[in-house]
Amino acid sequence: SFNRLKGITWSAHKLCGEDFHQSGLVLGIYANEKEEGPPQFTDAGDAFDRCVSGKLRELLSISGPLLKKGKTRIFHGLHQDFPSVVVVGLGKKSIGVSDQENWDEGKENIRAAVSVGCRQVQDLEIPCVEVDPCGDAQAAAEGAILGLYEYDEFKKRKKPVVTPQLHGSDGKEAWQKGTIYGEGQNLARHLMEAPANYITPIKFAELVEQKLKAAHSGVKIHIRSKSWIEEQQMGAFLSVAKGSEEPPVFLEIHYSGSANTNDPPLVLVGKGVTFDSGGISLKPSSGMDAMRADMGGAATVCSAIVTAATLNLPLNIIVLAPLCENMPSGRANKPGDVVRAKNGKTIQVDNTDAEGRLLLADALCYAHNFNARAIVNAATLTGAMDIALGSAATGVFTNSSWLWTHLYEASILTGDRVWRMPLFEHYTKQVTDCPLADLSNVGKYSRAGGACTAAAFLKEFVTISHWAHLDIAGVMSNKDEVPYLRKGMAGRPTRTLVEFATRLSQDNQSA
């Protein structure tokens, strides 16, 4: 469930003989490498079939065509301890990383198949499901945890709670890791999906604080108030916040996982606009409710540090999240206003709905105080990013090939992909050519290359040589594109950030 980040249990009983509670069972089956011939069970599937004297294989052969990738078939009454067995199609066994798709197809197939199988057990209202590790227990756990999650906090009629467990004893550690990864992304989904009147800036910070205290005792959390933000001279951030009755919060989190607490940290920065009306440059009313998730950057980086702390990653990590609402009022920013950022640069606010970059400008300046190994910021920044890539991948703008390589290789493993975008001087000129100030918060050619001009704007507040900006606007929500996520806010790319941090903790190269 959403609240469980620790205390994972596994089923390690022997299939035939040991006494245990009834549960559903999800088993994988591979497509034959050739077009003809019988399908191949996983090791767990083979063991179960032997336990039921070959009945599973027999029933599969007479119940319809060979199971295709992601398709399922349910059998009842085969085994007294498993009233319902769901067989899921995993596709071809030998499949791996696809150069065309930029992900590990085998892992993605497992996540998708397991999620479908677990949902079918949930539909049968069976409270526990044992999951075949399918040769990759981490991917199987992720598929189960992510596939079963649904935000239903305010509904009287809720889906039955189903607890997924590992079937058998192979891959316990990998299953635990996958469970923690999945729960981390579900935390981001929860924060993004919750209504904006429940996740205000202060409530966001308090919920993250609660999760961190449960995950790790050695995490330091600072919930900074408006007066602290004023002392830091974060004029760009404050200019956005002043239009709302909700006071701004600057959330600062320190996790010291490295053996040396003085090792340069990874600094993660997340845009935290808990509701974005657009301000005076008001958004259209249609679909505006989705702007409760405009704090997706803050949600994913905070969920990543909760997950890293739960995993005890040997890495120092700092998270910075400027949190506020962007609302129209008599005190709100007006188009044409000029504000001063923390580094002294002046910004002409030509469009109050390009507010995320104002928060990030000040947060990025502050991030330079920590002798960072690398700074990575995430933000649902531009509709242009959604137009460019849709929900296929997060757009990455970076000045560091070393950083890009780590992010890219992490995304291949998680299936939550990234794609590199340009940081050309061409775009910088469009934000620095400004009539009233040092910078304009929108490019002078309006809609052209909007994601790129936004990144060029942020680059004006970065002096470190390893920085990456992740524009996650396109991956903010899921309709049906990712089969192991239900419709709603996606919590992407939390798992990629965690895998990236894991890789960084194993890389001794100094940045």
Side-chain angles (χ1 to χ4, degrees):
S1 71
F2 162 70
N3 284 315
R4 183 171 46 83
L5 273 164
K6 279 191 170 179
I8 299 132
T9 59
W10 305 278
S11 165
H13 61 269
K14 292 177 183 175
L15 190 60
C16 306
E18 204 172 300
D19 188 31
F20 55 95
H21 296 294
Q22 281 194 339
S23 63
L25 177 61
V26 173
L27 295 172
I29 194 167
Y30 299 107
N32 199 289
E33 293 297 319
K34 299 172 184 176
E35 292 301 318
E36 298 176 1
Q40 180 185 351
F41 279 114
T42 61
D43 291 346
D46 261 334
F48 181 85
D49 187 52
R50 287 195 301 272
C51 190
V52 295
S53 307
K55 286 181 187 173
L56 182 61
R57 192 179 295 275
E58 181 186 336
L59 285 171
L60 265 174
S61 66
I62 62 173
S63 60
L66 296 178
L67 270 183
K68 292 185 178 177
K69 179 176 71 176
K71 299 298 181 183
T72 66
R73 205 160 289 157
I74 307 180
F75 301 100
H76 305 284
L78 272 175
H79 193 284
Q80 62 178 4
D81 299 315
F82 299 104
S84 299
V85 177
V86 185
V87 180
V88 296
L90 299 172
K92 292 182 179 178
K93 184 177 184 180
S94 60
I95 204 159
V97 175
S98 164
D99 292 335
Q100 180 72 35
E101 293 295 328
N102 291 351
W103 62 21
D104 187 313
E105 286 197 54
K107 290 178 184 291
E108 280 295 285
N109 289 352
I110 291 167
R111 291 182 189 107
V114 166
S115 71
V116 175
C118 288
R119 287 173 192 161
Q120 295 209 326
V121 171
Q122 186 176 45
D123 290 343
L124 295 168
E125 300 188 3
I126 300 171
C128 178
V129 58
E130 296 202 9
V131 177
D132 178 352
C134 301
D136 189 326
Q138 181 177 344
E142 288 173 7
I145 297 294
L146 294 170
L148 287 167
Y149 175 83
E150 183 172 51
Y151 184 85
D152 58 6
E153 195 160 315
F154 298 101
K155 291 186 176 182
K156 281 188 177 178
R157 293 187 65 183
K158 304 177 191 287
K159 280 191 165 64
V161 175
V162 178
T163 304
Q165 295 180 339
L166 177 65
H167 179 66
S169 56
D170 291 338
K172 287 182 181 180
E173 285 187 14
W175 176 270
Q176 182 177 19
K177 185 178 178 185
T179 301
I180 294 169
Y181 269 54
E183 293 286 6
Q185 183 168 344
N186 286 351
L187 171 57
R189 293 164 83 183
H190 176 88
L191 289 165
M192 293 171 73
E193 195 73 78
N197 59 326
Y198 282 85
I199 299 292
T200 60
I202 188 63
K203 288 175 182 173
F204 178 105
E206 288 170 350
L207 180 55
V208 170
E209 180 181 37
Q210 173 193 331
K211 295 295 170 191
L212 278 162
K213 284 182 175 176
H216 199 283
S217 59
V219 179
K220 293 179 182 174
I221 305 145
H222 306 282
I223 300 176
R224 313 285 197 187
S225 66
K226 183 182 176 183
S227 60
W228 181 90
I229 300 166
E230 289 169 339
E231 286 169 14
Q232 292 293 317
Q233 298 183 310
M234 296 182 176
F237 174 26
L238 286 165
S239 78
V240 178
K242 68 183 181 179
S244 173
E245 293 293 317
E246 290 288 343
V249 169
F250 193 95
L251 179 61
E252 181 177 332
I253 305 163
H254 292 247
Y255 164 70
S256 298
S258 177
N260 184 354
T261 55
N262 294 320
D263 282 349
L266 166 64
V267 179
L268 301 174
V269 181
K271 169 188 169 183
V273 178
T274 58
F275 187 77
D276 182 16
S277 70
I280 298 296
S281 307
L282 195 66
K283 291 178 182 287
S285 59
S286 177
M288 196 196 283
D289 66 295
M291 290 299 98
R292 66 187 182 275
D294 204 32
M295 28 58 75
T300 53
V301 298
C302 289
S303 299
I305 198 170
V306 170
T307 308
T310 306
L311 291 165
N312 284 308
L313 281 191
L315 182 72
N316 295 336
I317 305 175
I318 294 172
V319 159
L320 307 173
L323 298 156
C324 71
E325 292 180 339
N326 183 26
M327 298 291 283
S329 75
R331 292 189 300 277
N333 268 340
K334 304 172 292 296
D337 282 1
V338 173
V339 300
R340 191 178 299 274
K342 180 173 171 59
N343 67 349
K345 288 188 179 181
T346 54
I347 304 163
Q348 182 174 331
V349 183
D350 283 325
N351 186 329
T352 67
D353 194 22
E355 85 298 334
R357 63 201 71 180
L358 300 179
L359 277 68
L360 290 173
D362 282 337
L364 286 169
C365 290
Y366 183 68
H368 284 72
N369 291 343
F370 300 104
N371 184 32
R373 188 176 179 194
I375 297 173
V376 176
N377 73 260
T380 49
L381 205 64
T382 63
M385 193 72 255
D386 188 25
I387 299 298
L389 296 181
S391 60
T394 293
V396 176
F397 301 80
T398 180
N399 60 3
S400 167
S401 293
W402 170 78
L403 205 51
W404 162 251
T405 299
H406 276 308
L407 282 164
Y408 173 67
E409 290 179 354
S411 76
I412 289 172
L413 293 178
T414 63
D416 201 345
R417 296 175 290 194
V418 294
W419 189 256
R420 193 168 188 178
M421 301 288 288
L423 264 180
F424 300 148
E425 185 69 19
H426 173 93
Y427 301 112
T428 301
K429 290 175 182 174
Q430 293 179 38
V431 294
T432 55
D433 185 3
C434 175
L436 298 180
D438 299 323
L439 298 164
S440 170
N441 77 328
V442 289
K444 68 175 180 178
Y445 301 130
S446 187
R447 294 173 61 84
C452 303
T453 53
F457 176 93
L458 294 180
K459 186 167 172 277
E460 291 298 299
F461 300 89
V462 173
T463 58
I464 193 171
S465 56
H466 296 289
W467 162 70
H469 156 56
L470 278 56
D471 193 334
I472 63 173
V475 301
M476 181 179 85
S477 63
N478 193 65
K479 294 179 280 293
D480 56 10
E481 308 94 317
V482 181
Y484 49 88
L485 301 179
R486 284 190 164 115
K487 183 178 180 181
M489 299 308 169
R492 296 170 60 190
T494 302
R495 287 180 302 114
T496 296
L497 287 171
V498 175
E499 186 62 35
F500 161 72
T502 302
R503 294 179 64 85
L504 218 58
S505 72
Q506 297 162 352
D507 182 351
N508 295 321
Q509 177 186 335
S510 58

